[in-house]
Structures are given as structure tokens and as C-alpha cells.
Amino acid sequence: MGASQTNFDRALPSPQSDLARDILKDPYTFDFLGITDASNERTIEKALLLRLRDFLIELGVGFAFVGSQYRLEVEGDEFFIDLLFYHTRLHCYVVIELKNTAFRPEYVGKLNFYLAAVDDLVRNQTVDAPTIGLVLCKSKKGTVVEYALRDIHTPMGVSTYRTALPDAMAGVLPSIEALTEELRSLQNDDQDDLEPDR
């Protein structure tokens, strides 16, 4: 397990930057979703929400779910954050942008906008630390991420995720739901075998 690429050392004060860096990892493993690499962003987001408990465990200690497609209004225009969390140890909001592509530098601009909006419209500036952002994408090239984050002053990181099922296996393996149903059926059969005949 590696660390997320971040700009925390430049964007946050020393004790908070170290803790913020420690809460992010790379890659995140979403094998509990039972979906393929070809799934689109909305499918992945919906699957994460259906398995929110597993998703929170994968994120790590301290993450509290605030909302998905979290609505922000700026000068009459609506914007929707993919996933919004609050981190109880860092005392800050965490914006997650989910991308089903390789990292692109323009993702940083969009995330930077969301961080500024959450800081101004959602965050209680007397209690909460600055909002942190995370781009979760399929893959990344380290130098591209480094250049994209170099002169950004809002705290953000870039990590990858994997869904564990290659596209070629999509139709071959049963779904998690089908396996769960089969296990229930087997357990019921075992229970029937243990009951005495009448």
C-alpha cells in the first residue's frame, strides 16, 4: 500500500499536513463492489453507496459520510460534488471526485473549485480546518500529477482505485448477490438435514 500524491506539505500547516497525508492511501481497493473496470462513474458511485459500510472501512478511521451528488449553488448555478465526507480527526470536510479514467490535469481545476465553494458555503470557519480534496481515478502518471498539483494552494491529493474484476471476467463469474443467495440456500439445506424426521 502506498501513499496518495498530495500537496499537503505546501497547503497545510505541519501537524495537520502529516495527519492528512496519513489518512489517504493509494490504491483504494473496491473489490467488494463486484463490478468491472469498464463500469462508468455513476455505476461505481451507486455501488459504493449501496456498500457504504465497506466503503467507509476502505477509506479508513475517521471518515463520516455527508452526501453524494452534494448540491452547491454558486450565483444561481448548481454544482454537484460526487462524494462529501467529514473527517472527525482532522475536523475538516473531504471532497472526493470519482473518475473512471486515467488522471487528467483538468480534474485539479474542478476539485479546486469545489474546495473553495465548500470552504465558503459549508465549512464553519471558526471550527473546521480547510477542506481537503481527493481525486480517485483509474490510473495516474506521477509526473503529470506532480505538475498539476505544483502551484495549487488548496490541499488535495490524487489516488487510484481498483475494482479487482478484470473486464474479461464480467460475464464469467457470478455476482456477489448470486453467491450470497447460493450460500443462503446451502445453509437452509443444511438446517433441513439436521432436523429430525417426523
Side-chain angles (χ1 to χ4, degrees):
M1 228 18 103
S4 176
Q5 278 185 269
T6 72
N7 66 352
F8 294 162
D9 57 338
R10 295 184 310 276
L12 294 170
S14 182
Q16 189 178 19
S17 66
D18 294 339
L19 182 55
R21 193 174 30 259
D22 289 345
I23 69 163
L24 301 183
K25 63 183 179 180
D26 187 28
Y28 288 89
T29 303
F30 299 152
D31 57 353
F32 55 87
L33 298 180
I35 59 176
T36 68
D37 288 339
S39 299
N40 65 36
E41 289 168 19
R42 289 296 289 153
T43 300
I44 295 168
E45 183 180 331
K46 286 178 182 178
L48 288 171
L49 293 174
L50 286 173
R51 302 235 192 284
L52 187 57
R53 181 179 173 276
D54 295 324
F55 183 33
L56 287 169
I57 290 169
E58 179 62 16
L59 287 175
V61 175
F63 282 90
F65 180 67
V66 176
S68 70
Q69 293 304 306
Y70 189 89
R71 181 184 170 278
L72 296 172
E73 185 177 328
V74 179
E75 287 193 36
D77 291 335
E78 291 183 320
F79 299 91
F80 296 91
I81 295 172
D82 287 343
L83 299 163
L84 183 62
F85 292 87
Y86 189 85
H87 198 277
T88 59
R89 292 176 64 197
L90 289 172
H91 302 285
C92 70
Y93 286 95
V94 179
V95 172
I96 296 180
E97 271 299 291
L98 189 59
K99 300 296 180 189
N100 193 29
T101 62
F103 174 79
R104 295 181 190 146
E106 57 265 28
Y107 297 160
V108 169
K110 184 177 183 183
L111 186 57
N112 193 44
F113 170 80
Y114 286 154
L115 296 180
V118 169
D119 275 346
D120 286 352
L121 303 174
V122 181
R123 172 174 84 121
N124 179 338
Q125 297 190 16
T126 59
V127 177
D128 298 326
T131 304
I132 292 173
L134 175 64
V135 176
L136 262 179
C137 51
K138 295 291 293 173
S139 63
K140 64 179 180 166
K141 293 182 178 173
T143 305
V144 174
V145 173
E146 181 185 328
Y147 288 166
L149 295 179
R150 181 176 287 175
D151 293 324
I152 298 293
H153 302 289
T154 52
M156 63 178 72
V158 177
S159 291
T160 59
Y161 67 88
R162 57 179 176 234
T163 55
L165 281 181
D167 296 339
M169 301 299 290
V172 178
L173 296 175
S175 69
I176 289 175
E177 291 78 13
L179 289 172
T180 302
E181 187 58 38
E182 182 64 26
L183 283 172
R184 282 191 190 121
S185 174
L186 289 172
Q187 287 175 337
N188 289 339
D189 289 347
D190 287 345
Q191 285 294 343
D192 291 343
D193 290 343
L194 292 175
E195 290 181 7
D197 294 331
R198 294 185 185 221

